[in-house]
Amino acid sequence: MTASSDLGTFQLASPDLLRSTFRRHAAGVAVITARGASGPVGFTATSLTSVSAEPPLVSFGIGTGASSWPAVAETEHVGIHILGEHQSDLAATFARSGADRFGAPTAWREGPNGVPVLDDVLAWLVCRIVGRVPAGDHRIVLAEVVLGDSAGAGRPLLYHQGRFNGLRD
């Protein structure tokens, strides 16, 4: 099979093209947390990726202009939380600029290494940061899993077309 010479309409690379393309890509929703100098910080991420099983490594992206970046840039450990479909409000809270992310109704506790651990998630990990790789206006954070719990019940929360959704059968 050969590619058609008619590619139809296309756009040159731009931030809008990238955003529009990735709105079509369904992604799992996670919340990344850390202990900051003036208290806990956190943000919603759809860029979480498993990198390696041996050693157990994950990665996520964070914008250097994000309010959580100064804490993530300095801390040794982060918390990673996989959200369930019942947690779209929690995902929206951690995605909203200026929100009181750790105030009521967010339920959390201080976990190992001082990392904020969210309650009632599908799974959580505490990870040790092993690298922060420059990537445009973001950093790709590489983190080694130290411990966690994957026993939460429920189905995952997804992000697609600018909205939080659950899986359909």
Side-chain angles (χ1 to χ4, degrees):
M1 178 178 211
T2 60
S4 168
S5 61
D6 178 17
L7 297 177
T9 60
F10 61 88
Q11 298 175 316
L12 294 176
S14 70
D16 287 340
L17 174 61
L18 192 65
R19 283 187 203 97
S20 175
T21 299
F22 275 87
R23 285 176 68 89
R24 297 175 181 275
H25 174 69
V29 180
V31 168
I32 312 298
T33 61
R35 181 174 55 186
S38 57
V41 301
F43 62 98
T44 299
T46 56
S47 60
L48 180 65
T49 303
S50 171
V51 174
S52 168
E54 192 60 44
L57 295 172
V58 298
S59 71
F60 60 88
I62 180 172
T64 56
S67 61
S68 297
W69 170 242
V72 173
E74 297 296 324
T75 193
E76 291 184 32
H77 293 88
V78 292
I80 296 176
H81 308 82
I82 307 299
L83 300 190
E85 64 185 355
H86 64 287
Q87 295 178 301
S88 59
D89 289 344
L90 182 66
T93 296
F94 276 84
R96 193 170 38 254
S97 180
D100 180 5
R101 296 172 177 159
F102 290 90
T106 301
W108 66 282
R109 63 197 179 284
E110 185 173 312
N113 300 301
V115 172
V117 175
L118 302 177
D119 291 346
D120 197 30
V121 295
L122 296 187
W124 61 268
L125 302 169
V126 170
C127 301
R128 181 179 60 83
I129 294 178
V130 296
R132 296 171 184 87
V133 181
D137 62 355
H138 279 61
R139 295 296 180 269
I140 305 301
V141 177
L142 291 168
E144 184 173 10
V145 177
V146 175
L147 56 87
D149 181 359
S150 63
R155 295 163 56 110
L157 183 64
L158 300 177
Y159 188 72
H160 181 253
Q161 292 289 7
R163 293 191 317 264
F164 296 113
N165 298 284
L167 284 175
R168 292 188 205 140
D169 289 328

